[in-house]
């Protein structure tokens, strides 16, 4: 079998399952992150700070494991770019952190949030202008706000940052192609989406600031989320797979109960996410709900979406219950606990994979994966056990 | 009633052509072409700032 034939067979298997159909066997699509560095024998610093090392490690895993699809570089923050722009909110392996610790996000305390509570109107009036002229100078050690004296560091940070981003995105395209030609492996996702409310919590107001605002100024929070929507939609659409084979990844953070209450989900979170997903689906793009943590409280809301419009990825939710509620409408993926990959034995991993296949994959519409991204704590023999068992037992 | 979010704001550019025209009060040739190229290049800083927010 040529690599192209292997690629086509895997693509068919993967996309059949994505559409909630029954392929020839259960597809395997692990979201391998720092695991690739561990497998390739390189430091986390090397893979995070030099994306070429991460790409090569990703390719090596795709060559060695019989996976249908992988994410082209799940070590998604290239810290070389972070350093060039002077971004304050990451701990960089080998610089701020030991060389074998994954990059860390440093959320500031509420009083030092990157966006202040009285700045909602500015954000609402023009989100791009606010980000460029208020937020970026605040999150960068180098970039100055308008009317402040510019510096050499300011000029260089903007130039280097912009050109480095171009370099990185161009290189990602090359990785997608190389996964196909060298490994016969499908790039699992294309494009990205985040919820407006998560954006506010992640990098603007911080989680504590956001929940204060949800009570003190909910109308401003809603208006800010609405103002973010067209931009988040455009970013998702522009990064989507032109062939409409693989889904746009929707990274779900802290928009669920108990991070926010049911009313805030119903009145703010969901009305500013659902229309984006529906519009993407109208244009032929599936969205992969990467439901980090446990979103089981909201399954009925997700059922409102058109059948086939999403793929629902399970982290800590009850995948057997989720299958009962959503399985007639959407493909599911994940559900294999990451702690089992880190602390369990290959026998325990095989037994859990059997439970998953028996419980949710009998009629197709399931893709094998861990619950969360697979980092360097996963044992190689356990990832191998997941792969080999699913291949053996997951035949239809 | 949910607003039509696609009609909000100006995603894809930092500075719209309408704002930019203040710097080029006289266009002697094809304004459509000038606008199209302006917006194509404007896209890059827009993409940059939104991906700094979302991806980096």
């Amino acid at each position: 079998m040529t690599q192209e034939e292997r690629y086509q067979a895997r693509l068919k298997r993967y996309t059949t399952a994505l559409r909630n159909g029954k392929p020839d066997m259960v597809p395997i699509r692990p979201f391998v992150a720092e695991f690739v560095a561990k497998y390739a024998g390189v430091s986390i610093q090397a893979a995070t700070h030099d994306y070429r090392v991460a790409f090569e490690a990703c390719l090596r895993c795709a060559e060695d494991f019989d996976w249908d699809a992988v994410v082209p570089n799940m070590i998604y923050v290239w810290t070389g770019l972070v350093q060039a722009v002077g971004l304050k909110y990451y701990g960089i392996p080998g610089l701020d952190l030991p060389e074998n610790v994954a990059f860390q996000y440093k959320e500031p305390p509420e009083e030092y949030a990157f966006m202040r509570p009285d700045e909602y109107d500015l954000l609402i009036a023009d989100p791009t202008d606010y980000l460029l002229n208020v937020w970026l100078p605040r999150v960068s050690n180098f970039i100055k706000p308008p009317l402040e004296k510019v510096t050499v560091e300011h000029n260089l940070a903007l130039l280097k940052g912009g050109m480095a981003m171009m370099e990185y995105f161009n290189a990602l395209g090359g990785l997608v192609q190389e996964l196909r030609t060298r490994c016969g492996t499908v790039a699992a996702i294309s494009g990205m989406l985040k919820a407006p409310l998560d954006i506010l919590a992640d990098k603007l107001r911080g989680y504590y600031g956001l929940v204060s605002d949800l009570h003190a100024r909910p109308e401003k929070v809603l208006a800010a989320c609405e103002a973010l929507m067209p931009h988040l939609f455009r970013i998702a659409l522009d990064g989507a797979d032109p062939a409409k084979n693989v889904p746009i990844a929707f990274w779900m953070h802290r928009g669920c109960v108990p991070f926010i209450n049911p009313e805030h989900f119903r009145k703010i979170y969901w009305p500013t996410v659902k229309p984006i997903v529906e519009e993407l689906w109208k244009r032929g793009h599936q969205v992969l709900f990467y439901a980090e943590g446990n979103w089981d409280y909201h399954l009925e809301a997700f059922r409102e979406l058109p059948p086939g419009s999403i793929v629902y990825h399970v982290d800590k939710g009850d995948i057997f219950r989720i299958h009962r509620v959503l399985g007639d409408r959407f493909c599911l993926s994940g559900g294999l606990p990451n702690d089992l990959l880190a602390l369990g034995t290959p026998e325990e991993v095989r037994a859990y994979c059997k439970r998953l296949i028996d419980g949710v994959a009998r009629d197709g519409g399931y893709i094998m994966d861990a619950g969360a991204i697979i980092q360097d704590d996963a044992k190689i023999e356990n990832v191998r056990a997941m792969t080999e068992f699913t291949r053996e037992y997951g035949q239809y | 009633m949910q607003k039509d979010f696609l009609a909000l704001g100006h995603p894809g550019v930092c500075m719209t052509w309408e704002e930019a025209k203040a710097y080029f009060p006289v266009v002697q040739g094809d304004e459509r072409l000038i606008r199209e190229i302006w917006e194509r290049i404007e896209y890059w800083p827009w993409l940059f700032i939104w991906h700094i927010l979302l991806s980096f």
Side-chain angles (χ1 to χ4, degrees):
Chain A
M1 186 183 267
T2 66
Q3 291 297 34
E4 182 58 21
E5 287 167 341
R6 183 170 287 113
Y7 175 86
Q8 291 299 339
R10 285 171 166 168
L11 180 65
K12 186 175 178 193
R13 185 174 303 134
Y14 182 47
T15 54
T16 300
L18 286 170
R19 274 55 167 177
N20 213 15
K22 195 174 188 176
D24 57 340
M25 61 187 90
V26 173
I28 307 170
R29 184 226 52 201
F31 275 32
V32 277
E34 282 79 3
F35 175 81
V36 302
K38 178 180 186 170
Y39 182 77
V42 298
S43 72
I44 288 175
Q45 176 189 1
T48 314
H49 212 62
D50 183 348
Y51 66 79
R52 296 167 302 179
V53 173
F55 286 11
E56 188 52 39
C58 177
L59 288 162
R60 189 162 155 203
C61 282
E63 278 179 325
D64 289 1
F65 290 90
D66 188 3
W67 295 335
D68 296 294
V70 291
V71 176
N73 201 19
M74 197 62 245
I75 305 175
Y76 59 93
V77 172
W78 174 30
T79 52
L81 188 153
V82 169
Q83 189 186 20
V85 180
L87 298 175
K88 298 171 183 171
Y89 46 66
Y90 283 120
I92 297 178
L95 192 66
D96 315 303
L97 300 166
E99 69 171 344
N100 273 313
V101 173
F103 71 86
Q104 305 286 317
Y105 179 67
K106 300 183 285 189
E107 187 161 301
E110 187 177 352
E111 59 272 29
Y112 297 110
F114 296 126
M115 175 184 158
R116 293 173 188 146
D118 59 356
E119 291 176 342
Y120 270 97
D121 288 340
L122 279 177
L123 176 71
I124 293 162
D126 189 339
T128 306
D129 186 72
Y130 178 83
L131 291 173
L132 206 53
N133 296 314
V134 180
W135 178 80
L136 184 61
R138 229 174 248 163
V139 300
S140 166
N141 285 312
F142 304 136
I143 296 171
K144 303 295 178 195
L147 305 180
E148 201 167 301
K149 189 179 173 189
V150 298
T151 61
V152 171
E153 291 82 2
H154 164 94
N155 289 340
L156 284 174
L158 283 174
L159 273 173
K160 288 196 297 183
M163 298 192 87
M165 193 181 285
M166 283 275 208
E167 176 192 322
Y168 184 66
F169 286 158
N170 278 331
L172 268 181
L175 174 61
V176 170
Q177 198 53 32
E178 208 166 350
L179 278 168
R180 177 176 183 162
T181 54
R182 185 167 136 190
C183 315
T185 308
V186 177
I189 52 174
S190 183
M192 60 112 65
L193 175 65
K194 285 186 182 172
L197 197 76
D198 272 336
I199 293 301
L200 285 175
D202 285 354
K203 290 205 187 145
L204 293 166
R205 294 287 295 124
Y207 173 68
Y208 288 111
L210 175 73
V211 291
S212 299
D213 297 342
L214 281 169
H215 293 280
R217 49 190 77 82
E219 72 294 343
K220 297 285 186 195
V221 175
L222 176 60
C225 287
E226 288 172 340
L228 293 169
M229 287 172 75
H231 300 274
L232 301 178
F233 170 76
R234 177 78 189 267
I235 286 284
L237 189 66
D238 287 0
D241 177 9
K244 302 180 180 179
N245 283 320
V246 302
I248 297 163
F250 172 35
W251 306 103
M252 299 157 73
H253 294 168
R254 295 178 283 195
C256 59
V257 169
F259 288 108
I260 60 172
N261 70 35
E263 187 188 347
H264 290 143
F265 179 89
R266 196 173 63 253
K267 291 186 173 170
I268 300 177
Y269 182 93
W270 192 229
T272 54
V273 166
K274 186 181 170 190
I276 298 178
V277 176
E278 288 174 330
E279 189 61 35
L280 290 168
W281 178 239
K282 267 191 220 164
R283 296 173 192 225
H285 296 289
Q286 267 192 316
V287 175
L288 189 153
F289 274 40
Y290 201 80
E292 292 181 68
N294 187 335
W295 291 70
D296 287 2
Y297 190 88
H298 307 290
L299 299 179
E300 289 301 329
F302 301 147
R303 262 194 81 80
E304 295 166 8
L305 292 166
S309 59
I310 69 165
V311 179
Y312 190 83
H313 181 84
V314 182
D315 179 10
K316 294 191 180 300
D318 177 350
I319 194 165
F320 304 104
R321 179 180 160 225
I322 294 166
H323 181 245
R324 287 194 297 277
V325 179
L326 298 181
D328 63 324
R329 293 175 84 79
F330 311 123
C331 169
L332 305 185
S333 66
L336 180 64
N338 287 68
D339 52 6
L340 198 59
L341 290 175
L343 304 169
T345 64
E347 291 70 33
E348 289 170 323
V349 170
R350 284 189 202 98
Y352 207 98
C353 289
K354 183 174 185 303
R355 273 187 72 199
L356 286 172
I357 293 170
D358 288 344
V360 303
R362 273 174 299 181
D363 299 319
Y366 173 74
I367 296 163
M368 179 59 75
D369 191 2
I373 61 170
I374 303 177
Q375 298 188 288
D376 60 314
D377 56 343
K379 293 178 188 167
I380 292 169
E381 62 266 31
N382 284 347
V383 174
R384 192 171 281 125
M386 173 190 76
T387 307
E388 291 174 356
F389 179 82
T390 304
R391 238 359 35 131
E392 292 157 19
Y393 190 72
Q395 303 283 328
Y396 289 115
Chain B
M1 177 78 181
Q2 182 70 36
K3 291 176 195 165
D4 177 9
F5 74 91
L6 293 173
L8 296 174
H10 44 81
V13 294
C14 293
M15 185 186 286
T16 63
W17 174 242
E18 286 70 29
E19 293 169 309
K21 269 174 80 171
Y23 299 101
F24 316 103
V26 179
V27 176
Q28 298 189 47
D30 181 355
E31 183 175 327
R32 184 200 53 77
L33 174 65
I34 302 287
R35 176 185 181 142
E36 183 191 319
I37 300 302
W38 173 271
E39 289 178 344
R40 224 171 86 189
I41 298 174
E42 252 317 287
Y43 179 75
W44 298 117
W46 176 85
L47 191 77
F48 173 78
I49 190 62
W50 283 92
H51 268 295
I52 290 288
L53 180 73
L54 295 168
S55 306
F56 292 97

